[in-house]
Amino acid sequence: LHGVNLKIHDGERMALVGRSGAGKSTVIELISRFYDVQEGEVLIGGKNVKELDYDTILKNIAIVFQKTFLTRDSVLENIRMGSNATLEEVRAAAKEAQIDDFIMSLPDGYDTVLGEGGGSLSGGEKQRISIARAMLKDAPIIILDEATANVDPENEDQLQKAMEALTREKTVLMIAHRLKTVRSADQILVLDQGRIVQRGTHG
């Protein structure tokens, strides 16, 4: 990244667009502190991320990646992801994520053990489990990393509803390729070769 300067206000939706390698994922990785900046600073709530511990950052940011990470465990544990949420809380998140009916149709419902990487599930089903996980976390900042890129058309409508529920009243940063996803953004930044080359609304 070169001379990138951006500010996302509380409750705002920002979209990052640009070709592969433009620097979109780097912005997300710096905000989530997967890496630290060599120059400049990244602030969350006015505090430099280098002064925040990882638990604080993790508590405040939920990320939904393009490639969903699922473990060889029950659906319940895949949504809980280390939290001590009750089954009722998990189901409430799954309903909001439009995936509860599907989970209840599985042989053992929420106790159904998923194969490595969620092998038998479609891209949209995995993504909605990932969204349920993010909903349960209830973090104020949501990062969507091309979260709708690999979704089959029959899942798209449900996924869109799940996304809307997840991002309601949150601060949202999304990397997106589809115009539909970007239309609702308060500001869109176009990145090219590590620089912001355009910014504005969809209109």
Side-chain angles (χ1 to χ4, degrees):
L1 298 177
H2 310 283
V4 166
N5 193 4
L6 59 96
K7 182 180 266 188
I8 310 169
H9 296 283
D10 191 28
E12 193 172 58
R13 303 165 77 89
M14 178 186 280
L16 302 179
V17 299
R19 66 186 75 194
S20 285
K24 305 182 300 293
S25 294
T26 305
V27 171
I28 281 175
E29 286 160 354
L30 291 172
I31 291 170
S32 317
R33 213 178 163 205
F34 293 168
Y35 306 105
D36 278 330
V37 289
Q38 291 156 302
E39 293 173 36
E41 56 186 4
V42 176
L43 308 174
I44 296 180
K47 290 197 172 132
N48 192 314
V49 291
K50 290 181 179 178
E51 292 162 16
L52 300 173
D53 60 47
Y54 286 112
D55 286 345
T56 302
I57 294 171
L58 280 173
K59 210 185 321 181
N60 283 286
I61 297 176
I63 307 177
V64 180
F65 291 103
Q66 179 180 348
K67 198 168 167 27
T68 305
F69 174 74
L70 296 175
T71 60
R72 199 184 182 89
D73 206 336
S74 67
V75 176
L76 180 67
E77 291 307 327
N78 266 286
I79 295 175
R80 261 190 193 146
M81 266 314 232
S83 77
N84 51 9
T86 63
L87 175 61
E88 288 68 34
E89 288 166 332
V90 170
R91 279 201 73 181
K95 281 175 183 164
E96 283 261 64
Q98 312 285 312
I99 192 72
D100 178 66
D101 288 347
F102 168 75
I103 295 168
M104 292 306 283
S105 74
L106 294 171
D108 297 312
Y110 280 80
D111 292 323
T112 304
V113 174
L114 299 175
E116 198 63 53
S120 58
L121 305 182
S122 75
E125 287 153 2
K126 287 181 196 174
Q127 214 48 313
R128 280 179 284 143
I129 285 176
S130 179
I131 289 170
R133 182 191 289 168
M135 285 190 148
L136 196 61
K137 192 172 184 182
D138 198 24
I141 300 166
I142 306 288
I143 293 178
L144 305 173
D145 188 359
E146 294 189 57
T148 58
N150 297 333
V151 176
D152 26 293
E154 58 269 28
N155 269 301
E156 193 170 2
D157 187 43
Q158 287 176 305
L159 190 64
Q160 215 52 53
K161 285 181 186 155
M163 289 285 195
E164 280 161 25
L166 171 66
T167 57
R168 206 177 292 130
E169 295 175 16
K170 305 286 189 186
T171 302
V172 183
L173 179 62
M174 56 182 129
I175 289 180
H177 277 240
R178 299 181 181 209
L179 275 178
K180 196 192 288 185
T181 334
V182 173
R183 279 200 183 106
S184 64
D186 297 300
Q187 54 174 326
I188 299 169
L189 304 186
V190 183
L191 279 104
D192 188 35
Q193 295 183 347
R195 298 179 191 279
I196 296 171
V197 292
Q198 291 183 68
R199 57 175 93 207
T201 61
H202 180 267

